[in-house]
Amino acid sequence: MKTLSVVLPVYNEEEMLKNVLKQIKKVNVLEIIVVANGCTDASVKIAKEEGCTVKVIEKRMSPHEARMEGAKTAKGDAILFVDGDIILSASELERFVQPLLFGHSDVVLNKWGKMKTNAFNRSELMWSTVLHHALGKPHQTNAYLKAPYGVQLSVLKNYWELPPLSLFVTFLTQYRVSMSMSIETQGKGSFRPFDRPLRTKERIQSYQKLLQTYYTLASNRKRRVNMLAQPIPVVEHGWGKLSSFYGGKQLSIIIPVCNEEQTIKQVIAEARKLEPLEIIVVINGSTDQSEAYAKEQDVKTLVYDERLGHDCGRAAGALAATGDILLFIDGDFVLSAQELYPFASAVASGVDVALNVCEDEAKLTHVVQGWKYVLNETVGRKDLLMSSMTAVPHAISRECLQKIGLQSLVIPPFAQVKAIIEDFRVQAVHHVDVNKFNRFRYSEHIPLKSHSPTAELIIHDHIFAFLSYLQRD
């Protein structure tokens, strides 16, 4: 049987440390290495009194960095990483490390049980979801490199410098990994808000490297972005009016349409109730009566005979718009004026990008929702949850659009990130459940592999925005 070293980072854990060490000592361990990670209490004294090897770090490190510092001094064949603020029973620890000590596995990870999602673990679940998607593996609910976890020293010593998620990916793709046992840690341990910037930084750095390998330019293959540099096609000018709804500002409503003859008249009727300066219908490769119906309704109509691709219709409509507020809706489902007004009103009141509120907890593990969440968290806007410019309705101010550039609308998450970087006011203002209205299209919504073509496009867009944010000057 192999020998075991235990690495235990601590930060002011004097109240719990003796009990934590008491359980570890009941396990047949070669050594216990306590990493005093910026401690200012009696933790170091207690660890020495208990016969532990102590490594003192003056300037506080991230938890992962502290674990690696302790592991560099380990003498055992295998290393078990635990936390100093969570008491785990000796019986749990013994069963957990058995695959390592008997040579059956190279890595042992803790398997999460069924979790009740809340504001504190939502982030972990989302990042885990998108990580597995990027690896092309089914999502398994595990805590990747969150203690407790164990690894053979012969494996770990080759990867001291890897950030945590890169290390996890290496383990998962190259070594024998056991994830059969679950040790409950949810809700246990200390709450340290000042740890979060360190954890977030190392996590994002890991994802940047991973996603640069994963990302391709597939998201732009079906988009005719070059049309934005071309003259606007012949425009049918239509009805409009100066409105008093928006404090002197005027509203443009943009509606991309592809074969929506069944709904377009009603969509326009509801939009007209908002007193827009103009309604711009972008005929995006339609082959039915959508164009004729739009012109019958006396709205400004742009006609593109060939399909422009996803979101290019919005950009084309924005190019022709003259209002101070641009409201984007779709032509394939009808939303009442009452549901649309909050978006235009928010921009009139000072919001620059007014988003549809998306916080559907029931769909947290869907990878599209995951990417929306991690992008918002990465740019420091976790409060937006899964709200994204990918979804309609949303509205944007003329000032914001001019600053971020009209072309950015072709990749909505990229436009959203640019608005945030430029310090515009981005806010989720109103919830409309568009999923129950959205028209089902067989060619776009039926999964061909793990996800539908539309889902894959949205994912690629969010990865593009993620990488663009991290690589900005």
Side-chain angles (χ1 to χ4, degrees):
M1 191 168 74
K2 297 179 182 292
T3 56
L4 180 68
S5 297
V6 176
V7 174
L8 177 69
V10 298
Y11 173 75
N12 296 346
E13 250 80 77
E14 61 180 352
E15 293 184 6
M16 298 186 65
L17 188 54
K18 282 189 177 181
N19 288 327
V20 172
L21 292 173
K22 181 180 178 181
Q23 294 298 318
I24 296 173
K25 285 182 176 181
K26 293 179 181 180
V27 182
N28 184 21
V29 298
L30 177 67
E31 59 184 347
I32 301 174
I33 302 169
V34 172
V35 182
N37 190 11
C39 289
T40 57
D41 67 351
S43 295
V44 171
K45 179 182 177 183
I46 293 170
K48 289 180 177 179
E49 289 175 350
E50 295 293 325
C52 303
T53 301
V54 179
K55 186 176 182 66
V56 177
I57 298 172
E58 299 292 342
K59 186 177 179 181
R60 190 158 169 73
M61 292 180 166
S62 72
H64 175 74
E65 290 172 323
R67 291 179 188 128
M68 293 304 103
E69 285 301 307
K72 289 176 183 178
T73 66
K75 300 181 178 64
D77 299 310
I79 303 175
L80 172 65
F81 296 98
V82 294
D83 283 339
D85 58 347
I86 298 178
I87 300 173
L88 303 176
S89 70
S91 60
E92 284 181 310
L93 294 175
E94 283 179 333
R95 286 183 288 124
F96 188 75
V97 297
Q98 279 183 353
L100 290 177
L101 301 184
F102 288 95
H104 301 315
S105 298
D106 301 306
V107 180
V108 176
L109 300 176
N110 189 18
K111 179 181 179 182
W112 283 341
K114 288 187 177 181
M115 294 190 302
K116 183 177 180 181
T117 305
N118 55 47
F120 297 105
N121 63 29
R122 182 193 294 119
S123 179
E124 297 286 349
L125 184 58
M126 288 297 207
W127 285 86
S128 179
T129 299
V130 300
L131 172 65
H132 284 84
H133 173 259
L135 290 174
K137 294 181 176 294
H139 180 232
Q140 301 175 38
T141 310
N142 60 67
Y144 35 103
L145 298 185
K146 189 174 181 181
Y149 72 92
V151 59
Q152 302 288 0
L153 181 60
S154 59
V155 170
L156 184 61
K157 66 173 52 175
N158 298 316
Y159 307 106
W160 295 130
E161 305 305 322
L162 284 184
L165 293 180
S166 296
L167 185 60
F168 172 76
V169 170
T170 301
F171 289 162
L172 200 63
T173 55
Q174 298 183 28
Y175 294 96
R176 299 171 300 163
V177 178
S178 169
M179 292 184 285
S180 58
M181 183 175 172
S182 176
I183 296 181
E184 183 59 63
T185 60
Q186 185 181 358
K188 300 178 180 178
S190 305
F191 174 69
R192 299 188 179 111
F194 46 82
D195 268 356
R196 295 182 179 274
L198 290 169
R199 291 177 183 270
T200 300
K201 181 180 178 181
E202 68 180 16
R203 178 163 59 186
I204 289 173
Q205 287 173 339
S206 297
Y207 271 83
Q208 181 178 9
K209 183 174 181 179
L210 175 64
L211 297 181
Q212 281 171 333
T213 302
Y214 170 81
Y215 180 72
T216 69
L217 295 177
S219 58
N220 283 326
R221 290 176 186 166
K222 295 182 179 180
R223 287 171 165 149
R224 294 174 54 213
V225 182
N226 61 326
M227 65 85 197
L228 294 176
Q230 305 300 318
I232 298 176
V234 177
V235 174
E236 184 81 17
H237 293 279
W239 168 96
K241 67 178 297 183
L242 295 177
S243 174
S244 60
F245 286 178
Y246 310 107
K249 296 178 181 179
Q250 299 305 318
L251 174 66
S252 296
I253 300 178
I254 296 160
I255 313 172
V257 169
C258 180
N259 297 339
E260 321 292 6
E261 63 182 8
Q262 295 182 358
T263 53
I264 187 60
K265 289 183 181 180
Q266 222 176 332
V267 170
I268 292 171
E270 287 299 321
R272 186 160 281 158
K273 295 176 183 178
L274 298 176
E275 294 193 353
L277 177 69
E278 58 195 354
I279 296 174
I280 303 172
V281 171
V282 183
I283 303 298
N284 189 2
S286 288
T287 57
D288 66 356
Q289 295 299 307
S290 296
E291 178 184 343
Y293 289 173
K295 291 178 178 178
E296 283 177 10
Q297 300 306 304
D298 195 25
V299 298
K300 184 182 286 189
T301 309
L302 283 65
V303 181
Y304 291 88
D305 293 329
E306 297 181 29
R307 292 201 65 179
L308 303 173
H310 286 272
D311 306 305
C312 288
R314 295 181 194 171
L319 186 64
T322 59
D324 308 296
I325 304 165
L326 283 72
L327 172 63
F328 298 92
I329 62 178
D330 276 351
D332 57 352
F333 56 89
V334 181
L335 295 177
S336 70
Q338 286 82 2
E339 294 282 32
L340 297 175
Y341 176 73
F343 299 94
S345 176
V347 176
S349 301
V351 173
D352 291 293
V353 180
L355 300 175
N356 190 3
V357 174
C358 183
E359 51 185 9
D360 189 350
E361 300 291 342
K363 297 181 179 179
L364 276 177
T365 56
H366 191 286
V367 71
V368 170
Q369 298 293 69
W371 281 113
K372 290 177 180 179
Y373 183 92
V374 296
L375 178 61
N376 285 334
E377 182 178 301
T378 298
V379 299
R381 292 300 308 275
K382 186 190 271 191
D383 60 295
L384 294 175
L385 298 175
M386 289 78 74
S387 299
S388 170
M389 284 180 71
T390 297
V392 291
H394 67 259
I396 187 169
S397 69
R398 167 70 58 184
E399 180 185 1
C400 179
L401 182 61
Q402 289 174 337
K403 184 71 174 180
I404 67 175
L406 186 142
Q407 270 201 335
S408 66
L409 294 181
V410 173
I411 304 180
F414 179 56
Q416 182 170 326
V417 168
K418 289 187 74 173
I420 292 170
I421 291 173
E422 296 290 346
D423 290 326
F424 285 102
R425 189 177 173 193
V426 180
Q427 187 174 322
V429 300
H430 180 64
H431 173 63
V432 179
D433 186 3
V434 296
N435 291 322
K436 67 181 181 182
F437 298 117
N438 212 356
R439 177 181 163 193
F440 184 83
R441 300 176 188 266
Y442 288 96
S443 62
E444 297 178 9
H445 297 146
I446 290 182
L448 299 179
K449 295 180 181 177
S450 57
H451 303 290
S452 69
T454 298
E456 286 295 340
L457 180 69
I458 294 171
I459 291 165
H460 276 88
D461 284 355
H462 281 79
I463 295 173
F464 176 83
F466 183 101
L467 293 175
S468 298
Y469 175 78
L470 295 179
Q471 293 166 355
R472 71 194 189 283
D473 293 333

